[in-house]
Amino acid sequence: MVEISGTAKPRFAAVKDAFAANFAAGEELGARFTVVEAGEVVVDIWAGHADRARTRPWDARTLCPIFSTGKAIAATLVAQLVDQGKLSYEQTVAAVWPEFAQAGKAAITVEQAMSHQAGLSGFPGRMDPADWFDWDLICARLAAMAPLWPPGTASGYHPLTFGYLAGELFRRVDGRRMGQALREDLAQPFGLDLWFGLPDSEFGRVAEVQRPGALPDFGHRNPATVAAFLTPWAQPGGRGPEALRRADIPSASGHATAEALARLMGALAADGWLDGADILSPAVIGEAARERIRGPDLVLPFEMSWGAGFMRNETVHAWGPGNQTFGHSGWGGSCAFADPERKLGGAYVMNRQSAELLDDARPRRLIEAAYGGL
């Protein structure tokens, strides 16, 4: 039987049982699950190993790659600019990034770019996978690229390019890369173990990822999906895992603990209050989470409801029963969510990836058990 570390209030005993059952079924290598209710950490448990050889136990300092779950952090950073009056969701991307107006993209708004409507889900033309490590090069290509579908007519998930679109918008307005802003504005002031661009000094506590044995099933093979996921250059490559850890790519290279993610999402669920400070106004949280588009996604094989960078639970029901719940999931199973109706934030991270695109059964069991304890 797996040894579970951490704490959970007695009314959440079923969460520990579900966590143990995931390990007993052989579905986990190492994992952590955290729930924050009205600003209080009520569940924070971890177990298993941080390495594939099972020699390094998972502990409270283990950092986990979170892949697209980092988009929830990126969406929060953009929302802070909106809250400061430096950016609006309704203005055009080209208003702050003039080069983006090329190839018929002058009318694309910030909210369309943030809700995967820009038609830039990936690059159809052949490229070196190492090009993803050159921020300016990728942003120049996105600025010059013609959309793969008419912007604003449908969503098509931008798995990697989202990070460059959101990150360059942020940089053009704020002057900093997202990784620096994350450290200076959220991580360091509030003790949140969240990173875009991991320094070498933290490498020793990163969990090794065990890749899934199969590819996700997209259910279709259209140009938007192929560009997003199915080309040899759809993901960064050619420079080894250390380069990806160091890279400040908000859509792909984030690292975090479940506790840090849950505390951030818990703040978004509780009117923006984090440890007695206001990190976002309730009005802007509502704007960030508000539905921008709903319907069959051109890339993901689901009907999606998108906010300004956030997945909305109303169509996917991945994070409990709340229709107002929002968050993001990442490749392999990680997720982070905020439920403003119950002032609940939660996060799950792990290093044994599944092939599920969105609705991984492991966090679903934990989240259902957590709601049972409310």
Side-chain angles (χ1 to χ4, degrees):
M1 180 177 294
V2 67
E3 180 181 349
I4 297 176
S5 300
T7 60
K9 289 189 175 295
R11 60 195 168 101
F12 295 105
V15 178
K16 294 183 72 173
D17 292 341
F19 197 56
N22 285 346
F23 279 89
E27 297 177 348
E28 298 284 24
L29 176 57
R32 186 173 183 177
F33 181 63
T34 309
V35 177
V36 173
E37 183 181 24
E40 179 187 7
V41 177
V42 293
V43 177
D44 186 22
I45 53 177
W46 59 88
H49 293 87
D51 62 335
R52 293 188 295 270
R54 300 176 185 263
T55 62
R56 182 158 54 100
W58 196 289
D59 62 32
R61 296 190 70 253
T62 299
L63 275 175
C64 195
I66 58 171
F67 301 97
S68 287
T69 298
K71 292 183 173 77
I73 305 172
T76 301
L77 291 169
V78 170
Q80 288 187 314
L81 294 183
V82 174
D83 212 12
Q84 295 160 10
K86 298 177 180 178
L87 185 71
S88 75
Y89 290 122
E90 293 76 23
Q91 73 185 98
T92 64
V93 174
V96 297
W97 181 0
E99 302 92 328
F100 191 80
Q102 298 175 71
K105 303 195 300 300
I108 294 176
T109 62
V110 171
E111 65 184 355
Q112 287 173 332
M114 293 293 291
S115 56
H116 304 269
Q117 299 184 62
L120 307 173
S121 59
F123 296 112
R126 185 172 296 278
M127 59 180 267
D128 186 336
D131 288 352
W132 290 106
F133 294 102
D134 188 333
W135 183 269
D136 290 338
L137 174 63
I138 294 298
C139 289
R141 286 179 179 170
L142 287 170
M145 181 178 168
L148 297 174
W149 66 88
T153 62
S155 72
Y157 183 51
H158 293 41
L160 197 53
T161 55
F162 174 92
Y164 296 84
L165 294 172
E168 185 65 6
L169 269 169
F170 187 92
R171 188 185 70 83
R172 295 276 176 145
V173 173
D174 182 88
R176 297 173 293 174
R177 291 282 297 274
M178 273 191 168
Q180 180 183 353
L182 175 61
R183 295 303 306 156
E184 294 176 352
D185 298 350
L186 289 173
Q188 291 174 345
F190 297 101
L192 298 178
D193 210 350
L194 304 172
W195 305 81
F196 291 149
L198 193 68
D200 288 17
S201 60
E202 308 298 324
F203 280 15
R205 59 193 186 99
V206 174
E208 293 181 353
V209 172
Q210 182 176 327
R211 305 290 188 185
L215 293 174
D217 180 10
F218 293 96
H220 51 241
R221 192 181 175 89
N222 59 40
T225 301
V226 171
F229 281 109
L230 302 178
T231 66
W233 54 88
Q235 297 293 328
R239 295 193 179 178
E242 292 82 8
L244 186 58
R245 290 177 187 171
R246 296 184 186 106
D248 185 349
I249 306 174
S251 51
S253 65
H255 291 75
T257 64
E259 185 260 358
L261 286 169
R263 286 178 58 209
L264 178 64
M265 301 308 287
L268 300 185
D271 295 331
W273 285 96
L274 179 60
D275 294 349
D278 183 7
I279 65 166
L280 268 181
S281 69
V284 171
I285 295 171
E287 272 297 287
R290 178 175 63 82
E291 182 175 87
R292 297 319 201 282
I293 191 167
R294 176 192 298 225
D297 195 83
L298 296 179
V299 173
L300 298 174
F302 309 112
E303 179 176 336
M304 297 296 297
S305 173
W306 289 105
F310 292 109
M311 293 178 170
R312 301 180 72 252
N313 199 46
E314 196 168 354
T315 56
V316 297
H317 296 293
W319 313 303
N323 283 335
Q324 300 305 311
T325 301
F326 59 94
H328 219 288
S329 293
W331 179 45
S334 65
C335 64
F337 64 92
D339 179 350
E341 295 176 289
R342 298 163 181 83
K343 297 191 182 303
L344 199 74
Y348 164 79
V349 302
M350 84 290 111
N351 60 342
R352 180 174 181 175
Q353 296 185 308
S354 78
E356 295 296 329
L357 285 167
L358 180 58
D359 190 16
D360 191 295
R362 296 169 297 174
R364 173 181 281 277
R365 296 179 195 123
L366 301 176
I367 293 167
E368 288 176 353
Y371 273 90
L374 297 180

